[in-house]
Amino acid sequence: MYDQPRPNPPQTFMTFDQMLERVRYEGAYPTRERAAEAVRHVLASLGRQLTGDERVDLAQCLPVEAALTLTAQIPTTEHLTGWGFVKDFAVRTGASPATARWDTGAVLAVAGRLAGPDLLARILRRLPDGYALLFGQAELRRPEPAAV
């Protein structure tokens, strides 16, 4: 039998060290340790929100260390909007909402590029409104049913 192509191959392979350097650059963090802290906290928070095949597929696109952080979390039943995600992140880390938003954007922009456009679209469909901006994407309104 022939191997079937994966529908969502990662854009590029990246080691954890390369991921940290990319996040450090995106977030303009002064140290590698600060970038690593952001990666750990953001991926742990995302791991509590993301479920299903999208969670598994994203983990496959990430470096092993990052994937373990994502998948070590037990998903919660409380689905947060993008802004709710940032506020929850701020409370859990003791950061200001502005810092939490900055950290989230820096890490998820890199994770989104590793996931690729197809997987990222699936992830955004699974999550509530507000996550596209966190991944550095345009937030398009979902069609609303016409009023009768």
Side-chain angles (χ1 to χ4, degrees), residues 89-112:
F89 179 84
V91 169
R92 287 178 185 273
T93 62
S96 70
T99 300
R101 172 62 181 94
W102 186 270
D103 289 350
T104 301
V107 174
L108 294 184
V110 173

Side-chain angles (χ1 to χ4, degrees), residues 114-148:
L114 287 170
D118 293 340
L119 176 55
L120 181 55
R122 288 179 33 225
I123 290 169
L124 293 175
R125 280 193 300 272
R126 176 164 293 275
L127 294 170
D129 289 339
Y131 282 85
L133 292 174
L134 300 178
F135 279 94
Q137 303 292 306
E139 180 79 44
L140 302 176
R141 290 184 51 107
R142 295 182 181 162
E144 297 178 17
V148 178

Side-chain angles (χ1 to χ4, degrees), residues 32-121:
R32 181 184 167 89
E33 290 74 26
R34 178 63 182 93
E37 178 184 337
V39 167
R40 280 193 311 274
H41 289 300
V42 171
L43 290 180
S45 292
L46 184 62
R48 286 188 283 279
Q49 292 297 310
L50 190 58
T51 60
D53 290 340
E54 290 76 15
R55 176 184 169 106
V56 173
D57 292 345
L58 178 58
Q60 289 177 342
C61 296
L62 297 173
V64 172
E65 299 87 340
L68 291 173
T69 300
L70 176 80
T71 58
Q73 305 304 309
I74 297 171
T76 182
T77 57
E78 180 186 5
H79 299 289
L80 302 172
T81 64
W83 178 235
F85 179 85
V86 171
K87 289 191 302 187
D88 181 67
F89 179 84
V91 169
R92 287 178 185 273
T93 62
S96 70
T99 300
R101 172 62 181 94
W102 186 270
D103 289 350
T104 301
V107 174
L108 294 184
V110 173
R113 282 196 295 277
L114 287 170
D118 293 340
L119 176 55
L120 181 55

